[in-house]
Amino acid sequence: MPRVKNFNAGPAALPLPALERARDEFLDFAGSGMSVMEHSHRGKEYEAVHDEALALLRELLGVPDAYDVLFVQGGASQLFAQIPMNLVEKGRGADYLVTGAWGEKAFSEAKAATAMLGASARLAGTTGEGEGKEKRYVRAATAADLQVSPDAAYLHLTSNETIHGVQFAVDPARPFPDAGKVPLVADMSSDFLWKPVDVSRFGLIYAGAQKNIGPSGVVVVIVRKDLVAAGRKDIPKIFQLRTPAENKSLYNTPPTFGIYMIRNVLAWLKGLGGLGAMEQRNRAKAGKLYGVIDANPGFYRCPVERESRSVMNVVFRLPAEADEERFVKEAKAKGMVGLKGHRSVGGIRVSTYNAVEPAWLDELCAFMQDFAKRG
Amino acid sequence: MPRVKNFNAGPAALPLPALERARDEFLDFAGSGMSVMEHSHRGKEYEAVHDEALALLRELLGVPDAYDVLFVQGGASQLFAQIPMNLVEKGRGADYLVTGAWGEKAFSEAKAATAMLGASARLAGTTGEGEGKEKRYVRAATAADLQVSPDAAYLHLTSNETIHGVQFAVDPARPFPDAGKVPLVADMSSDFLWKPVDVSRFGLIYAGAQKNIGPSGVVVVIVRKDLVAAGRKDIPKIFQLRTPAENKSLYNTPPTFGIYMIRNVLAWLKGLGGLGAMEQRNRAKAGKLYGVIDANPGFYRCPVERESRSVMNVVFRLPAEADEERFVKEAKAKGMVGLKGHRSVGGIRVSTYNAVEPAWLDELCAFMQDFAKRG
Ligand SMILES: Cc1ncc(COP(=O)(O)O)c(C=O)c1O
Ligand SMILES: Cc1ncc(COP(=O)(O)O)c(C=O)c1O
Ligand SMILES: [Mg+2]
Ligand SMILES: [Mg+2]
Ligand SMILES: [Mg+2]
Ligand SMILES: [Mg+2]
């Protein structure tokens, strides 16, 4: 079967060169006579891969020395609990800014995690409108949406809401909020490494790998060293961020093959010109798509406010659900898959992560024009 | 490079047919035009793999209906904390039977996890001799080593101590202990699926995948449904065992490629005749090795008592450390790797997991005979 055009929201398309590299040495890694996944995580062959992945993350993002870069397991969902377990204290709870479903989940787990430790989590702001099934999120937050407690342990936000297609810092009018001295904690699962980021603006950044940088099973955490050092010690060692920080993320067996794939993806990304080049490429891809949507206002409708429109997950509706079903089906017949919106909101979602080829977008846009014309 | 003979302790050798299957369809899984790791965890293509892996576990082990089979992330080390977090209550602490370094770690994390929740963990028995650097573990426990609290939430043990080469239930004289009504919880990370096991004797079995059944990044948990149902609800959702139990281990994104590899390994295991056949094969492999050790008593010395000698990790010493270094080096030159003992105990360790070929053992045994003769 020829390679399909994969617009999955995650796990998602990976760069073909990164996959081919893995395929070609799958049985014999670096001339060692075994697969990379059969190597000990304590051996020099795997360690070289591990170190290279960490170094590439530092290099591509320009991570300052005052930050640790960690590999953690459990998915981004585990970090929803693990971050408050590390960072809250009695009288220093956690603040949450919610701009979509993932922010809601992060807040919900933070409530459980903090209650367990005699602390608390607080809603510092939300852009949600309506209630229950009618709840809508159509924009990133502004300063007016937010009231940070000056003594909060941190302020958490979701930089890109994967389901609602709402992203911070795409437009200068919707920057990451200023929380003063309160450290910003950002879930960048679905927009990690899509463009350069000033890491020093954050106390902690985390991202599940399975959208922009690898397969599922690894979470990258970038965290200020002083926050790690001040973290709670009365929780199990495996959950303390100081544990991977002090052991180069080799305290216990890491997901070695996943980290190897991340290495391959980051090497490809660097070869393509790094994050600056990637931002141009991603903005062009999403720009084309929003262009077609806006050019057909009677047919396609993006619910998200212009300044908050995600460059990673472009969501839109068609006149009727039946049209959306036909859209997905016809696209699939043309080798374009993964276009169905999240089951909780419906509609169409086009995920345009780093590995999604510009040519795929051209093809999709041509199809969309034609589909709208046919009506 | 031709395939080496890989005796790594974990991550470890995987069956060549399972690896080749993955390599052959790495770029085009089941004719879908993408890699299995690019598939959505909510799509039917991945779901078929996930379901098959779960079904094969049930079938191979004969798991009773009263048990859930789960995939969890974080490594077996995370379960050291997660199990007590689910199962203890005030006044119903956890009991630990320690027969090696992994049992020590499990107990240590249980102390932190239970303290956080106002409960406690207690040493119910140990076979450790000596203190600190001189601490030795040379046998599984007997009834005489153990005092279970009748109101314990569970009794934890490590069925095979990977570092010390000490295993329960290899010999009828060293069966799994009888804890009466207290559920047995067993860390089977390094001897999972090496032979048939009566699951109904356990409340919970867990195992990191990276020794006998797949790559690192996945833990299999087999747990009695009533224990899941009675588990604590005041911990974050991601840590509650009921979360994967109620969501077929698809609450959040699972490590899809790791589970796919497990499927491939289990299919191979079934094709070879299942766990009965595997037990014969494994006993023959380890038997040969211990035979060579015992036939050269002046040269090789296994510190483990005969009834507790592990069928999975065969540990032994040579007359001097210099001999051990030479042994590892010469073996490596002959394509036999992963023979160095764990850094905490030294010596030689031969891991003879399911995927380790009988022919590799023949070659290693011949080398050992020759090496001993040369002295
Ligand atoms: C923004 C965001 N955060 C968190 C998650 C949860 O990630 P995981 O499934 O790895 O737990 C997702 C998954 O799609 C996501 O998009
Ligand atoms: C018996 C046993 N338990 C637990 C572990 C820890 O597993 P992980 O590294 O997946 O946390 C190991 C690792 O070797 C082990 O052998
Ligand atoms: Mg998802
Ligand atoms: Mg949010
Ligand atoms: Mg290990
Ligand atoms: Mg033990």
Side-chain angles (χ1 to χ4, degrees), chain B residues 96-106 125-127 137 156-161 166 168 187:
Chain B
Y96 280 73
L97 174 58
V98 174
T99 55
W102 290 110
E104 283 181 10
K105 279 209 175 181
T126 175
T127 57
Y137 289 99
H156 181 282
L157 60 84
T158 311
S159 60
N160 181 60
E161 283 285 354
V166 167
F168 276 97
D187 174 3

Side-chain angles (χ1 to χ4, degrees), chain B residues 68-206:
Chain B
D68 284 315
V69 180
L70 315 174
F71 293 125
V72 179
Q73 294 187 62
S77 299
Q78 179 162 318
L79 274 291
F80 292 169
Q82 203 175 335
I83 290 166
M85 283 168 70
N86 274 270
L87 301 184
V88 298
E89 299 165 42
K90 218 180 188 113
R92 263 174 87 79
D95 268 17
Y96 280 73
L97 174 58
V98 174
T99 55
W102 290 110
E104 283 181 10
K105 279 209 175 181
F107 179 46
S108 163
E109 281 290 78
K111 281 189 275 192
T114 53
M116 181 173 76
L117 297 167
S120 63
R122 195 189 142 259
L123 189 63
T126 175
T127 57
E129 297 162 17
E131 286 300 327
K133 284 232 156 205
E134 301 304 302
K135 187 103 169 233
R136 280 160 43 91
Y137 289 99
V138 298
R139 59 187 184 84
T142 63
D145 296 310
L146 183 64
Q147 280 197 302
V148 188
S149 338
D151 57 355
Y154 59 82
L155 172 69
H156 181 282
L157 60 84
T158 311
S159 60
N160 181 60
E161 283 285 354
T162 322
I163 294 173
H164 296 93
V166 167
Q167 192 172 11
F168 276 97
V170 180
D171 189 287
R174 292 290 177 279
F176 288 115
D178 183 357
K181 284 197 175 134
V182 173
L184 266 189
V185 170
D187 174 3
M188 293 196 183
S189 290
S190 52
D191 65 349
F192 191 53
L193 297 190
W194 83 275
K195 69 161 184 180
V197 163
D198 179 3
V199 172
S200 73
R201 286 230 34 213
F202 297 86
L204 188 154
I205 291 168
Y206 66 106

Side-chain angles (χ1 to χ4, degrees), chain B residues 37-316:
Chain B
M37 70 181 79
E38 297 176 285
H39 273 281
S40 168
H41 58 301
R42 310 248 175 249
K44 66 179 187 327
E45 293 88 352
Y46 172 71
E47 200 176 15
V49 170
H50 191 90
D51 291 349
E52 189 185 341
L54 289 171
L56 280 165
L57 283 168
R58 279 204 178 269
E59 180 187 344
L60 287 165
L61 267 174
V63 178
D65 286 345
Y67 287 72
D68 284 315
V69 180
L70 315 174
F71 293 125
V72 179
Q73 294 187 62
S77 299
Q78 179 162 318
L79 274 291
F80 292 169
Q82 203 175 335
I83 290 166
M85 283 168 70
N86 274 270
L87 301 184
V88 298
E89 299 165 42
K90 218 180 188 113
R92 263 174 87 79
D95 268 17
Y96 280 73
L97 174 58
V98 174
T99 55
W102 290 110
E104 283 181 10
K105 279 209 175 181
F107 179 46
S108 163
E109 281 290 78
K111 281 189 275 192
T114 53
M116 181 173 76
L117 297 167
S120 63
R122 195 189 142 259
L123 189 63
T126 175
T127 57
E129 297 162 17
E131 286 300 327
K133 284 232 156 205
E134 301 304 302
K135 187 103 169 233
R136 280 160 43 91
Y137 289 99
V138 298
R139 59 187 184 84
T142 63
D145 296 310
L146 183 64
Q147 280 197 302
V148 188
S149 338
D151 57 355
Y154 59 82
L155 172 69
H156 181 282
L157 60 84
T158 311
S159 60
N160 181 60
E161 283 285 354
T162 322
I163 294 173
H164 296 93
V166 167
Q167 192 172 11
F168 276 97
V170 180
D171 189 287
R174 292 290 177 279
F176 288 115
D178 183 357
K181 284 197 175 134
V182 173
L184 266 189
V185 170
D187 174 3
M188 293 196 183
S189 290
S190 52
D191 65 349
F192 191 53
L193 297 190
W194 83 275
K195 69 161 184 180
V197 163
D198 179 3
V199 172
S200 73
R201 286 230 34 213
F202 297 86
L204 188 154
I205 291 168
Y206 66 106
Q210 69 268 19
K211 282 103 162 64
N212 259 335
I213 65 161
S216 55
V218 192
V219 185
V220 174
V221 178
I222 301 172
V223 53
R224 249 170 46 201
K225 287 177 173 163
D226 63 305
L227 293 175
V228 173
R232 296 184 78 110
K233 294 185 170 163
D234 59 352
I235 58 174
K237 217 168 168 176
I238 190 78
F239 297 131
Q240 295 179 30
L241 291 174
R242 71 173 56 75
T243 300
E246 287 172 0
N247 294 282
K248 212 175 69 179
S249 303
L250 288 165
Y251 167 71
N252 71 328
T253 320
T256 53
F257 189 75
I259 292 169
Y260 160 80
M261 283 304 305
I262 288 175
R263 191 280 308 260
N264 287 4
V265 172
L266 298 182
W268 163 83
L269 181 49
K270 183 178 167 182
L272 232 67
L275 298 187
M278 197 43 77
E279 176 174 7
Q280 274 195 300
R281 175 175 143 127
N282 284 329
R283 286 202 186 262
K285 288 185 317 195
K288 248 179 215 162
L289 211 43
Y290 286 117
V292 174
I293 292 168
D294 292 341
N296 294 277
F299 197 74
Y300 298 118
R301 187 175 45 82
C302 171
V304 183
E305 289 185 6
R306 195 162 296 267
E307 297 78 6
S308 303
R309 284 178 170 185
S310 173
V311 174
M312 296 280 100
N313 310 97
V314 178
V315 302
F316 56 92

Side-chain angles (χ1 to χ4, degrees), chain A residues 1-4 6 8 10-14 16 19-20 22-23 26-28 31-35 37-42 44-45 73-78 81-82 85 105 109 112-113 116-117 210 215-218 234-239 251-257 261 332 337 343, chain B residues 1-4 6 8 10-14 16 19-20 22-23 26-28 31-35 37-42 44-45 73-78 81-82 85 105 109 112-113 116-117 210 215-218 234-239 251-257 261 332 337 343:
Chain A
M1 172 84 174
R3 194 151 166 81
V4 294
N6 179 354
N8 274 337
L14 291 169
L16 189 57
L19 288 168
E20 285 172 338
R23 193 263 325 263
F26 197 76
L27 293 181
D28 184 8
S32 65
M34 64 173 91
S35 180
M37 70 181 79
E38 297 175 284
H39 272 280
S40 169
H41 57 301
R42 310 249 175 246
K44 65 178 187 331
E45 293 88 351
Q73 296 187 60
S77 300
Q78 178 162 319
Q82 203 175 335
M85 283 167 71
K105 278 210 175 181
E109 281 289 79
M116 181 173 75
L117 297 166
Q210 69 268 19
S216 55
V218 192
D234 59 351
I235 58 174
K237 217 168 169 177
I238 190 79
F239 297 131
Y251 167 71
N252 71 328
T253 321
T256 54
F257 190 75
M261 283 304 306
K332 191 169 182 187
V337 305
R343 59 212 145 94
Chain B
M1 173 83 173
R3 193 151 167 81
V4 294
N6 178 355
N8 273 337
L14 291 169
L16 188 58
L19 289 168
E20 285 172 337
R23 192 263 324 266
F26 198 75
L27 293 182
D28 184 9
S32 65
M34 64 173 89
S35 180
M37 70 181 79
E38 297 176 285
H39 273 281
S40 168
H41 58 301
R42 310 248 175 249
K44 66 179 187 327
E45 293 88 352
Q73 294 187 62
S77 299
Q78 179 162 318
Q82 203 175 335
M85 283 168 70
K105 279 209 175 181
E109 281 290 78
M116 181 173 76
L117 297 167
Q210 69 268 19
S216 55
V218 192
D234 59 352
I235 58 174
K237 217 168 168 176
I238 190 78
F239 297 131
Y251 167 71
N252 71 328
T253 320
T256 53
F257 189 75
M261 283 304 305
K332 192 169 181 187
V337 305
R343 59 211 144 97

Side-chain angles (χ1 to χ4, degrees), chain A residues 1 27 130 162 213 228 298 318:
Chain A
M1 172 84 174
L27 293 181
T162 322
I213 66 160
V228 173
L318 271 64

